[in-house]
């Protein structure tokens, strides 16, 4: 494709280090769409004849059919998907194939293909995340009133509802979807027509290819357009943040499934056994989601480091932009699907969760709040009194509400028997009815708002 000024061909090592076809063949669909849009535009602008354009378009369709059935051939001499397709086109239609690359460079071509690919990847992630949200909402609706211990520092803090806990993840995924949509909006500009770096002398119509490829607008600066990979970084950074949410959720399941917790029975379909210990059922899928987050974050880091020192415009370092994006997309898709299955098919052992909520003095704050409300004691003092009650209960090895009224009165005479109802876990969660709080009614509101957002009726 470029041998004219060379006396010798590339060495074996040059061919190998230069070849991107092993991975960029994943762009073949986008490459063919972009080439078809380009040649239709060239014909409309009288830059190539209508006959040649027709030949090229038919040839590209045939190649698409071949790739579809046989896969993309990997010939290192042809370097990448762009040259692989163009050389096959020449085999199929002869010299007219050479007109396709008029007013175009692989630099704007690859920028265009990669944007299109990333846009599709965003749309797939969005659909996957919506499914995960639906699974969360379904379980949260079922468990709006199921009581579990809420933790800070992984120490029992206050009772919460399982629905509330699951809806917290709904919110994280909601932000992830919005980050991907932001990325999509910024991505959706058309670099085609920027040519190698400086634009082209041919009278092209960039609005036409913009429309044909579903972009919102042409990019505004050709130097930027061929050297920009912000769209890939936006995608990777959104993916990294999303993966860390999935990893946190996976971690919860891992903890909940452990025997000392016993809060969940994970689906058999997303667990594995041990080759030696017959009793084992391991949360491998969740652990891999947690592990994949590390790799996805690594992908984002990898591309940032590749880009950080590059002068304008294109440099070959940028060929290394694709593997991290492809890898992250694959890992993220699997992680989302695994967590969706886990949320949908896990059995929550609400009896065990409730028991755990009743341990660890989870309603101590409710005692302090009661003293503030009923005896008009300043909160700091109420906190101190309650601390003394917890200390006594702990030394006796009983729950707070198992202390006798005499014992409580000995700590502070203003306590009366009216305190006992406030110390149940039900009363505790029901009391936290502030907007966004853990009370079952609040959770049902969150679930209803989410269902509306997702278009569930
Ligand atoms: N395979 C190349 C890449 O992915 C295509 C662009 C090549 N451009 C160039 N000037 N060598 O980046």
């Amino acid at each position: 494709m470029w041998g004219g000024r060379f006396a010798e061909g590339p060495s074996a090592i040059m061919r190998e280090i230069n070849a991107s076809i092993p991975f960029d063949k994943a762009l073949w669909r986008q490459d063919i769409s972009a080439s078809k849009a380009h040649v239709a535009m060239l014909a409309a602008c009288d830059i190539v004849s209508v006959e040649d354009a027709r030949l090229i378009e038919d040839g590209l369709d045939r190649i698409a059919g071949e790739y579809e059935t046989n896969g993309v051939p990997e010939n290192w001499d042809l370097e990448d998907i762009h040259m692989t397709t163009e050389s096959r086109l020449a085999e199929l239609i002869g010299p007219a194939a050479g007109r396709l690359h008029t007013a175009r460079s692989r630099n704007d071509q690859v920028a265009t293909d990669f944007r299109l690919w990333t846009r599709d990847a965003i749309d797939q992630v969005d659909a996957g995340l919506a499914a995960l949200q639906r699974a969360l909402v379904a379980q949260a609706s079922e468990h709006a009133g199921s009581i579990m211990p809420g933790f800070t520092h992984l120490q029992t803090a206050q009772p919460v509802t399982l629905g509330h806990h699951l809806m917290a993840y709904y919110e994280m995924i909601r932000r992830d979807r919005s980050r991907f949509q932001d990325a999509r909006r910024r991505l959706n500009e058309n670099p085609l027509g920027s040519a190698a770096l400086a634009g082209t002398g041919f009278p092209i119509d960039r609005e036409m290819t913009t429309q044909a490829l579903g972009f919102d607008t042409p990019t505004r600066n050709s130097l930027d357009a061929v050297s920009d990979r912000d769209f890939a970084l936006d995608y990777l950074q959104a993916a990294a943040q999303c993966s860390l949410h999935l990893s946190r959720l996976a971690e919860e399941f891992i903890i909940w499934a452990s025997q000392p917790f016993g809060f969940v029975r994970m689906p058999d379909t997303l667990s594995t056994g041990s080759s030696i210990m017959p009793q084992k059922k391991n949360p491998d899928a969740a652990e891999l989601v947690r592990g994949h987050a590390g790799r996805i974050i690594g992908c984002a880091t990898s591309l940032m480091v590749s880009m950080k020192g590059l002068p304008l415009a294109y440099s070959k370092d940028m060929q290394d932009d694709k593997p991290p994006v492809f890898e992250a997309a694959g890992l993220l898709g699997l992680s989302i699907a695994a967590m969706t299955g886990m949320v949908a098919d896990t059995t929550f052992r609400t009896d065990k969760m409730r028991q755990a909520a009743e341990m660890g003095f989870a309603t101590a704050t409710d005692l302090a709040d009661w003293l503030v409300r009923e005896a008009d004691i300043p909160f700091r003092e109420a906190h101190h009194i309650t601390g003394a009650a917890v200390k006594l209960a702990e030394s006796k090895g009983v729950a707070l509400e198992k202390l006798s009224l005499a014992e409580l009165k000995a700590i502070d005479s203003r306590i009366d028997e009216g305190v006992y109802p406030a110390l149940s876990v039900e009363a505790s969660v029901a009391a936290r009815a502030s907007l966004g709080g853990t009370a079952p009614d609040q959770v049902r509101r969150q679930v209803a708002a989410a269902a509306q957002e997702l278009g569930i009726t």
Side-chain angles (χ1 to χ4, degrees):
M1 298 280 172
W2 38 255
R5 60 103 65 219
F6 285 79
E8 275 190 279
S11 71
I13 196 69
M14 182 63 217
R15 278 173 28 230
E16 184 168 355
I17 198 173
N18 200 38
S20 56
I21 187 67
F23 52 85
D24 70 17
K25 63 184 182 181
L27 297 175
W28 73 260
R29 282 194 178 78
Q30 291 75 15
D31 196 63
I32 288 195
S33 305
S35 286
K36 286 177 72 176
H38 181 67
V39 78
M41 180 279 290
L42 292 178
C45 296
D46 283 331
I47 299 166
V48 305
S49 70
V50 171
E51 297 73 53
D52 282 346
R54 173 80 29 85
L55 270 176
I56 290 171
E57 283 169 16
D58 291 347
L60 289 169
D61 285 338
R62 256 185 79 181
I63 294 171
E66 291 175 1
Y67 288 171
E68 194 78 68
T69 37
N70 307 324
V72 180
E74 264 186 53
N75 177 354
W76 289 356
D77 287 323
L78 294 172
E79 191 178 324
D80 57 26
I81 184 60
H82 324 294
M83 306 235 270
T84 299
T85 300
E86 196 182 321
S87 110
R88 180 64 185 143
L89 187 65
E91 285 171 10
L92 289 175
I93 69 168
R99 300 196 186 274
L100 169 60
H101 213 53
T102 315
R104 185 177 80 170
S105 153
R106 276 184 296 155
N107 296 348
D108 61 339
Q109 191 179 356
V110 74
T112 305
D113 294 356
F114 199 22
R115 279 185 194 240
L116 292 172
W117 191 95
T118 306
R119 190 175 71 188
D120 288 347
I122 289 174
D123 293 343
Q124 278 173 33
V125 166
D126 189 66
L129 290 177
L132 173 54
Q133 284 183 314
R134 283 193 294 274
L136 286 165
V137 166
Q139 289 283 19
S141 165
E142 175 91 24
H143 291 292
S146 304
I147 294 172
M148 65 180 283
F151 300 99
T152 61
H153 314 269
L154 201 54
Q155 305 284 313
T156 299
Q158 294 173 345
V160 296
T161 46
L162 173 57
H164 193 219
H165 195 118
L166 294 171
M167 288 307 286
Y169 283 93
Y170 177 90
E171 292 297 316
M172 295 178 222
I173 302 302
R174 182 166 172 256
R175 290 193 294 277
D176 289 326
R177 289 183 69 191
S178 123
R179 250 184 298 277
F180 279 113
Q181 288 313 312
D182 278 353
R184 194 188 197 285
R185 248 189 307 281
R186 273 192 298 279
L187 165 151
N188 210 27
E189 297 185 355
N190 179 19
L192 198 59
S194 301
L197 73 164
T200 175
F202 291 98
I204 59 171
D205 180 355
R206 296 192 58 209
E207 296 292 348
M208 191 178 159
T209 53
T210 294
Q211 237 205 340
L213 296 171
F215 287 113
D216 296 327
T217 176
T219 53
R220 303 199 301 187
N221 180 305
S222 62
L223 284 169
D224 177 50
V226 295
S227 60
D228 166 44
R229 293 295 182 269
D230 286 3
F231 64 91
L233 283 170
D234 278 350
Y235 171 79
L236 285 172
Q237 284 155 356
Q241 197 147 343
C242 180
S243 77
L244 73 87
H245 293 150
L246 299 174
S247 175
R248 291 181 73 177
L249 181 57
E251 172 68 4
E252 305 253 26
F253 276 96
I254 292 164
I255 293 173
W256 291 348
S258 71
Q259 283 68 29
F261 270 78
F263 285 7
V264 296
R265 245 183 248 108
M266 295 245 260
D268 282 0
T269 50
L270 290 167
S271 309
T272 58
S274 159
S275 53
I276 171 168
M277 296 167 283
Q279 86 283 12
K280 291 281 267 180
K281 178 169 150 189
N282 294 326
D284 292 36
E287 290 170 294
L288 285 164
V289 169
R290 192 174 58 183
H292 285 359
R295 291 173 63 190
I296 293 170
I297 293 163
C299 290
T301 306
S302 158
L303 185 55
M304 284 194 279
V305 178
S306 291
M307 294 305 295
K308 77 172 184 55
L310 299 186
L312 297 182
Y314 177 89
S315 298
K316 198 63 175 253
D317 314 43
M318 290 167 67
Q319 180 164 283
D320 281 344
D321 57 358
K322 283 158 228 82
V325 172
F326 294 164
E327 183 183 3
L331 294 172
L332 185 63
L334 278 171
S335 301
I336 294 169
M339 291 318 297
T340 303
M342 207 164 304
V343 170
D345 298 334
T346 286
T347 309
F348 292 95
R349 304 185 59 187
T350 50
D351 52 331
K352 298 273 280 200
M353 287 183 158
R354 201 205 134 94
Q355 255 173 30
E358 283 170 344
M359 295 179 337
F361 311 108
T363 58
T365 314
D366 297 278
L367 173 53
D369 286 352
W370 184 89
L371 290 165
V372 170
R373 222 174 30 242
E374 303 298 325
D376 196 27
I377 299 174
F379 182 77
R380 278 288 153 239
E381 192 188 339
H383 186 289
H384 196 80
I385 296 165
T386 305
V390 169
K391 195 167 167 218
L392 177 63
E394 193 176 33
S395 72
K396 298 189 66 183
V398 298
L400 263 186
E401 63 273 28
K402 292 280 146 41
L403 291 176
S404 70
L405 190 56
E407 286 168 324
L408 288 172
K409 274 195 176 299
I411 292 166
D412 195 287
S413 60
R414 288 166 290 188
I415 301 177
D416 62 40
E417 66 285 335
V419 77
Y420 287 103
L423 298 183
S424 76
V425 289
E426 278 81 10
S428 175
V429 296
R432 288 186 170 69
S434 54
L435 183 69
T438 205
D441 280 349
Q442 278 299 323
V443 175
R444 283 184 201 105
R445 270 184 203 219
Q446 291 173 41
V447 163
Q452 196 173 24
E453 215 163 58
L454 295 173
I456 304 170
T457 42

